[in-house]
Amino acid sequence: MSNSTPQTPVTTTSLRIGNGYDIHRLVPGRPLILGGQQLEHPAGLGLDGHSDADVLVHAIMDALLGALFLGDIGKYFPPDDPQWKGADSLVLLEQVVALVKARGWGVVNVDAVLIAERPKLKPHIEAMRSAIALRIGVAPDQVGVKATTNEKLGPEGREEGISCQAVALLQAL
Ligand code: MG
């Protein structure tokens, strides 16, 4: 063991990572909104939920909140509050970003993967990225959105629902 003074450990960090997950049921008679884009499902299905049920935006919001241990979106926009009925999730995203900024953090990037059997999401990915980037206040290249099927396995594969996983990286402002 050396007697030299140990290096001062780094006790603060200027980066934070968070992850988020969401799933909503596919049902008839509801719109299918992902990343703020209204899509057509070949079987006429949409996502059930109290708000617009945008799983992509919900997962991103939970990733942003998770990075700062601020709880989840249910804490800020409870599903039993009539105020959020049919809410545009992109507007809620703006509020979450405001919360993050008020605590002194900015968004470096977010990345998300949507898990949906149908419809084909690729033609809509760029529009989703742009819409989300606009509300976060970053460039579209700071927002990753990918889509995969679930190879007909599980609830997403049986088209019982669509899920999304997201991560967000924050930096101290
Ligand atoms: Mg949700």
Side-chain angles (χ1 to χ4, degrees):
M1 291 289 284
S2 153
N3 287 329
S4 66
T5 309
Q7 265 197 316
T8 306
V10 176
T11 55
T12 56
T13 171
S14 56
L15 291 173
R16 289 284 187 87
I17 191 169
N19 89 94
Y21 167 81
D22 197 21
I23 186 166
H24 281 257
R25 287 178 188 275
L26 276 168
V27 294
R30 284 273 303 180
L32 175 58
I33 296 171
L34 294 172
Q37 315 306 304
Q38 184 152 353
L39 311 182
E40 289 297 321
H41 191 283
L45 303 174
L47 291 176
D48 197 18
H50 186 63
S51 68
D52 63 6
D54 190 329
V55 284
L56 169 56
V57 176
H58 290 186
I60 289 173
M61 286 194 282
D62 269 353
L64 293 168
L65 292 169
L68 297 180
F69 313 122
L70 293 175
D72 59 33
I73 54 173
K75 175 176 164 183
Y76 299 92
F77 316 109
D80 54 359
D81 186 338
Q83 188 182 348
W84 312 119
K85 187 168 168 53
D88 176 351
S89 294
L90 287 174
V91 172
L92 308 186
L93 174 61
E94 276 185 333
Q95 295 185 29
V96 166
V97 171
L99 205 71
V100 165
K101 282 196 177 145
R103 278 167 172 74
W105 295 84
V107 177
V108 178
N109 74 309
V110 300
D111 187 34
V113 55
L114 277 161
I115 300 135
E117 217 51 41
R118 294 188 300 174
K120 284 221 179 307
L121 299 179
K122 203 173 173 194
H124 309 285
I125 294 289
E126 292 311 312
M128 293 178 193
R129 292 177 63 204
S130 296
I132 292 163
L134 188 70
R135 301 306 179 113
I136 294 179
V138 296
D141 70 359
Q142 289 165 275
V143 177
V145 177
K146 307 182 294 301
T148 183
T149 72
N150 222 28
E151 296 287 337
K152 297 198 161 60
L153 295 166
E156 297 95 330
R158 292 189 296 268
E159 294 191 273
E160 294 166 3
I162 289 176
S163 69
C164 184
Q165 301 172 15
V167 290
L169 187 68
L170 306 182
Q171 65 183 345
L173 292 173

